[in-house]
Amino acid sequence: QSALTQPASVSGSPGQSITISCTGTSSDVGGYNYVSWYQQHPGKAPKLMIYEVSNRPSGVSNRFSGSKSGNTASLTISGLQAEDEADYYCTSYTSSSTFVFGGGTKLTVL
Amino acid sequence: EVQLVESGGGLVQPGGSLRLSCAASGFTFRNYNMNWVRQAPGKGLEWVSYISGASNVIYYADSVKGRFTVSRDNAKNSLYLQMNSLRDEDTALYYCARDCGFGYAIDYWGQGTQVTVSS
């Protein structure tokens, strides 16, 4: 159950777009469309931003989008805003009937 | 309004046991699969366990298999995590979390209960 690989940090200026990658294997990210993304502000519980690779829950801004190619999933945030500054985690179902999170990415809005 | 309220955390010595509880309200509990997810201080999220609405499907992370047991009481709208043979590395904030029903995603989280394993 190795963690999915995410960059430790990314940054961007307000209004810009950034992309966070999430790399796994054919036994998790590449094998299923069960990739989700979560946003976590300091001291708060995580918030679901994307489910099933590219679907946005009701209430989540359309500035957030998800995609997948092979064993790598991606979260793109367009039109960066100060409130987007947070930690972001990907997760996937695995062939072992378990779930694995990425190590997390700290997004800094410059 | 969906609410998940965890309890039962605390300080325990290595090798000890704790039972976490999660009281659910604001939705039909038996219709939803549930998870426990933990977060060590300053670290990332780690999935711990999953249980289906009818308790007929249960999964565990390798790191807790054989030591932790998840269960639920749908009549009491409650989720539980029995934790035995606790280790230092089990120290974390434990979240109760609801599966939204689409792709195993989690749509609601509690605020967590702190478990500290230390001598």
Side-chain angles (χ1 to χ4, degrees), chain B residues 29-116:
Chain B
F29 182 67
R30 65 179 179 274
N31 290 348
Y32 287 84
N33 307 325
M34 299 293 295
N35 294 271
W36 288 99
V37 177
R38 67 186 181 183
Q39 188 167 31
K43 302 297 184 182
L45 300 170
E46 181 187 13
W47 171 78
V48 173
S49 184
Y50 165 101
I51 183 169
S52 63
S55 302
N56 56 328
V57 178
I58 289 176
Y59 304 140
Y60 295 102
D62 287 347
S63 57
V64 307
K65 198 173 297 182
R67 301 187 299 122
F68 290 12
T69 302
V70 64
S71 62
R72 63 192 294 163
D73 185 335
N74 288 340
K76 295 183 178 180
N77 291 337
S78 293
L79 176 70
Y80 306 101
L81 186 67
Q82 177 66 45
M83 305 187 297
N84 299 330
S85 303
L86 283 162
R87 305 167 179 167
D88 290 352
E89 56 264 34
D90 295 319
T91 293
L93 184 66
Y94 283 73
Y95 290 105
C96 165
R98 190 184 84 166
D99 182 319
C100 73
F102 295 95
Y104 298 106
I106 293 172
D107 59 352
Y108 284 95
W109 302 68
Q111 286 305 303
T113 186
Q114 180 66 41
V115 172
T116 302

Side-chain angles (χ1 to χ4, degrees), chain A residues 39 47-50 54-66 75-81 83-84 88:
Chain A
Q39 175 193 66
K47 175 186 176 183
L48 178 64
M49 306 304 285
I50 296 288
S54 59
N55 295 305
R56 256 188 333 273
S58 174
V60 171
S61 171
N62 59 10
R63 298 185 299 104
F64 291 82
S65 61
L75 173 71
T76 297
I77 309 173
S78 59
L80 267 180
Q81 299 180 0
E83 59 261 36
D84 298 333
Y88 290 84

Side-chain angles (χ1 to χ4, degrees), chain A residues 29-77:
Chain A
V29 174
Y32 306 92
N33 287 327
Y34 296 149
V35 176
S36 305
W37 288 91
Y38 300 89
Q39 175 193 66
Q40 187 179 35
H41 287 107
K44 300 294 187 181
K47 175 186 176 183
L48 178 64
M49 306 304 285
I50 296 288
Y51 66 94
E52 291 179 333
V53 175
S54 59
N55 295 305
R56 256 188 333 273
S58 174
V60 171
S61 171
N62 59 10
R63 298 185 299 104
F64 291 82
S65 61
S67 62
K68 189 182 83 167
S69 177
N71 297 335
T72 298
S74 298
L75 173 71
T76 297
I77 309 173

